[in-house]
Amino acid sequence: MGFNQEDHPMLVSTGAPFLLGLSYVASLYVWRSNLDRDHPDTIKRRFISAAFMTIVSPVFVYMFGSPELLAKYPLAEIIGLRWPGLVQAAIFPLVLTMVLFLGPSVMLLCDDRFRVYCVPMFWRQSLKDWIWWRNHVVAPFSEEFTFRACMVPVLLGYYTHQQAIIISPLFFGVAHFHHMVERIRKGQDICTSFLVSVFQFTYTTVFGMYSALLFVKTGHFAAPFLVHAYCNFMGFPDFGEVINSEPKKRLFLILMFVIGALAFYLLLDSFTVVEWYSNTVYGGQL
């Protein structure tokens, strides 16, 4: 008897992901500092934490992952690091997500800010910006690697694929509550900070379900990572701007949002066919 999948599958498949998520958040706060989260020194230290979790997370899979998966596949394939289907996994889920973001994309194209993205100097400056690297590379990479690639295989020791897709984002959403502490430190009142965190928990949980679905359907880490990076680039849709637009433009933007949502719904199954991605690891149980 011990703390393993054979003896206590439900306990291990629930407790280990909880510990993994807790470890991820704790790694960000091991550094004693009063500096803001956007300060370069804070970001650099948290990059080290992210690198540490990238090493630790696969250990959780090796120790507590689904016995069935571990017996049949190499660890690298279980966490989505494999060659077959990689190109498709890097392209199709990203295109599908862009369809969903049709409304925000049209808003961006109609905005003068879009011209900035066409200037090479903008990208040169971005590559020198620690915040840009955190938001678009390190955070999406480390979060998807820990909460999707390494957490889902552990959940599958007891839960079904559908249950794992629903459960894993809850740990991901709760993990974002640590931003509440940072907002309070900046002087925001507790009530407002809590409401913001609840809102953030809601949309990160919904996104987490989509991201987990992509990981299970494609069997590739690249799919949720690239989609996460793209979503961070686009940001949460600014519905306030839509409402405050002049009538004709408002109607047009609403139409783009609706078309994007409907097209995403209609294309979701077609773009997540497991055979497209040579997904033998997770595809057989869907």
Side-chain angles (χ1 to χ4, degrees):
M1 296 290 288
F3 190 69
N4 55 61
Q5 288 282 14
E6 287 80 5
D7 296 330
H8 306 287
M10 183 179 181
L11 177 62
V12 173
S13 294
T14 306
F18 173 78
L19 290 175
L20 181 58
L22 185 64
S23 299
Y24 184 92
V25 175
S27 72
L28 303 177
Y29 288 93
V30 295
W31 312 98
R32 291 190 175 183
S33 173
N34 292 321
L35 297 174
D36 183 83
R37 68 184 295 266
D38 290 334
H39 192 282
D41 287 346
T42 301
I43 295 175
K44 292 174 188 177
R45 290 168 180 169
R46 291 186 172 183
F47 280 7
I48 296 174
S49 297
F52 173 74
M53 287 306 302
T54 301
I55 297 171
V56 170
S57 296
V59 177
F60 274 76
V61 181
Y62 180 78
M63 294 179 62
F64 308 117
S66 165
E68 182 180 354
L69 289 176
L70 291 170
K72 294 174 62 177
Y73 305 101
L75 180 62
E77 291 187 12
I78 293 173
I79 60 178
L81 304 179
R82 56 189 183 84
W83 290 111
L86 177 59
V87 174
Q88 299 93 305
I91 296 174
F92 295 138
L94 187 58
V95 171
L96 178 65
T97 308
M98 289 178 176
V99 170
L100 177 62
F101 274 76
L102 177 62
S105 296
V106 171
M107 289 176 64
L108 179 62
L109 291 171
C110 294
D111 197 304
D112 291 337
R113 291 173 296 177
F114 179 71
R115 298 177 185 176
V116 177
Y117 297 136
C118 300
V119 179
M121 180 60 70
F122 168 79
W123 296 104
R124 284 198 290 269
Q125 291 298 322
S126 294
L127 293 175
K128 298 177 183 178
D129 184 4
W130 288 103
I131 296 177
W132 187 91
W133 278 99
R134 178 195 64 195
N135 293 346
H136 301 98
V137 181
V138 177
F141 183 95
S142 62
E143 289 178 359
E144 293 305 319
F145 191 73
T146 294
F147 289 93
R148 243 66 69 185
C150 293
M151 187 174 288
V152 169
V154 178
L155 288 166
L156 291 176
Y158 176 79
Y159 299 100
T160 65
H161 286 68
Q162 289 77 11
Q163 290 170 337
I165 289 171
I166 295 172
I167 295 171
S168 66
L170 298 177
F171 295 106
F172 180 63
V174 170
H176 281 74
F177 262 92
H178 73 90
H179 292 307
M180 176 179 173
V181 177
E182 295 171 344
R183 282 190 289 269
I184 293 174
R185 283 180 178 176
K186 286 184 176 180
Q188 191 174 71
D189 65 276
I190 296 176
C191 183
T192 301
S193 183
F194 176 74
L195 291 176
V196 170
S197 292
V198 169
F199 174 71
Q200 190 175 39
F201 167 80
T202 302
Y203 77 74
T204 53
T205 298
V206 172
F207 169 78
M209 292 179 185
Y210 174 53
S211 188
L213 174 69
L214 292 178
F215 176 74
V216 171
K217 287 282 192 174
T218 66
H220 277 282
F221 161 68
F225 163 52
L226 293 175
V227 166
H228 191 153
Y230 171 74
C231 289
N232 278 9
F233 172 74
M234 292 300 296
F236 192 82
D238 189 353
F239 295 111
E241 182 178 340
V242 176
I243 294 173
N244 294 324
S245 299
E246 54 95 12
K248 289 185 179 179
K249 183 179 180 181
R250 179 168 63 241
L251 181 60
F252 173 69
L253 291 176
I254 291 174
L255 183 62
M256 293 299 100
F257 271 86
V258 172
I259 291 176
L262 287 175
F264 171 81
Y265 174 76
L266 294 174
L267 293 173
L268 180 60
D269 286 340
S270 300
F271 273 65
T272 54
V273 176
V274 295
E275 288 79 12
W276 282 15
Y277 309 100
S278 303
N279 181 12
T280 58
V281 180
Y282 301 101
Q285 301 298 321
L286 290 171

